[in-house]
Amino acid sequence: MEPTKILVVDDEPMVREVLARYLEKEGYAVDCAEDGSSALDAFDATVPDLVLLDLMLPRVDGLEVFRRIRASRERQPVIMLTAKGEETDRVVGLELGADDYVTKPFSPREVVARVRAVLRRSNGSPSELVPDVLRLGDLTIDGPRREVTQRGEPAHLTRKEFDLLQVLASSPGVTFTRTQLLEEVWDFAWDGDTATVTVHIRRLREKIEDDPSQPRHLLTVWGVGYRFEP
């Protein structure tokens, strides 16, 4: 069996070297790129199982690299590497469908854990206890096919959007905190930053609600979190 391939894209040599060393110790095959243009070339050449992508890149910026990667392979797992001051780019990346993000400076062990979690999620649904097919009002959620339809029409969700909807819809009427959703869908909380849950809920509402500003299914429980109503 071929080893899982990881593409590390960062313009800092030390970051590339450290991440490659830690990932290789875990048995991954690692390729590196130092700018956006070489990242796209490496992506086409190696067809990686996961991309670790810095947002601040020379030649072609990280968000554009991400857009081109996803245009080429719609479900390509991508973890974004961001500096603390890059909140806007991070939110844009999450809205575009990034699987995870890590804020610099980071622990290499944390990055390895995130890689492992995203790869595991990309190969399965978030809970073994979720029924194969959920029919809730005008929504149908097909777990094995990872497909969602609303009144018979397909709703095109990213991997994380699907996982988040499946977790909420599998327990209708139950309120989940943002931290609980992070732990369930992303495996663990990220330094108390729950913005990614808010971003994904907003994107889900745009795709499955008749009126996203007045949702019927994905309801906010103010001061607590979210719940799903059939």
Side-chain angles (χ1 to χ4, degrees), residues 211-222:
D211 182 358
S213 64
Q214 297 183 5
R216 294 188 300 113
H217 296 301
L218 296 172
L219 304 184
T220 299
V221 181
W222 295 107

Side-chain angles (χ1 to χ4, degrees), residues 7 33 37-51 65 68-70 72-73 76-78:
L7 175 60
S37 180
S38 60
L40 292 169
D41 290 341
F43 179 80
D44 291 336
T46 63
V47 191
D49 297 288
L50 183 142
V51 180
V65 171
R68 296 188 194 182
I69 284 175
R70 279 295 175 81
S72 174
R73 294 178 65 193
Q76 171 65 50
V78 177

Side-chain angles (χ1 to χ4, degrees), residues 65-112:
V65 171
F66 178 80
R67 290 187 182 97
R68 296 188 194 182
I69 284 175
R70 279 295 175 81
S72 174
R73 294 178 65 193
E74 184 179 359
R75 295 188 177 275
Q76 171 65 50
V78 177
I79 297 176
M80 291 187 168
L81 307 176
T82 72
K84 286 188 175 180
E86 296 170 19
E87 182 176 356
T88 300
D89 283 346
R90 182 170 67 242
V91 171
V92 171
L94 292 170
E95 289 181 335
L96 290 174
D99 296 274
D100 200 344
Y101 74 89
V102 183
T103 301
K104 297 179 180 180
F106 49 71
S107 161
R109 290 186 179 86
E110 178 190 3
V111 176
V112 171

